[in-house]
Amino acid sequence: MQIRKAMESDFTSMWAIFHAVVSEGSTYVFAADASRQTAFDYWFGKDIKSYVAEDGGKIIGMYKLVANQRDRGAHVANASFMVDPAAAGKGAGRAMGEHCLREAKAAGFLAMQFNFVVSTNERAVRLWQGLGFQIAGTLPKAFRHPSLGYVDAYVMHRFLDDIAS
């Protein structure tokens, strides 16, 4: 598996993954019918660094790295990850997570925070905890799950001082 900076020419493959993930409806706040432009802006907007994971020349996942807040909060990173459902469980999420932590440290961030991890997304919660994140807070019934109704979302955080840049 190779992880590299995303290029706009990757967007057709990225769009397919984005569409598959958001139309399923259980992990991201986007509407199932979110537009192609919405997806493009999410991955290639101003000050966004996006990366793709390739396996055998096929894009199987992507992540973006941004400052969590502006100005006085810009020392904390934020990231979003999506994996092609057909590639789930093959290590792309972990590989991208590890890559992202190194990139965040190299970019000078002191910590990383995820603002909205759906509590029922057990695979993601387990992955992030395995990579050193802790649940810093719970947002009660903050996500409308398509089959479970209103479920909690977590704010997850970790410092980057132990990450080699």
Side-chain angles (χ1 to χ4, degrees), residues 27-102:
T27 58
Y28 270 84
V29 297
F30 292 99
D33 62 352
S35 73
R36 187 178 176 98
Q37 187 63 51
T38 296
F40 183 85
D41 293 344
Y42 187 72
W43 296 103
F44 291 103
K46 184 179 183 318
D47 298 326
I48 296 172
K49 292 181 183 176
S50 291
Y51 299 81
V52 293
E54 291 181 315
D55 189 25
K58 180 179 191 264
I59 294 174
I60 60 168
M62 61 256 199
Y63 80 85
K64 74 176 195 175
L65 178 63
V66 297
N68 190 52
Q69 299 291 331
R70 59 191 291 157
D71 303 330
R72 295 181 187 268
H75 59 285
V76 178
N78 179 270
S80 296
F81 298 78
M82 289 188 179
V83 174
D84 184 338
K90 297 180 181 176
R94 176 168 290 279
M96 289 190 298
E98 291 169 349
H99 187 273
C100 181
L101 290 171
R102 289 190 303 273

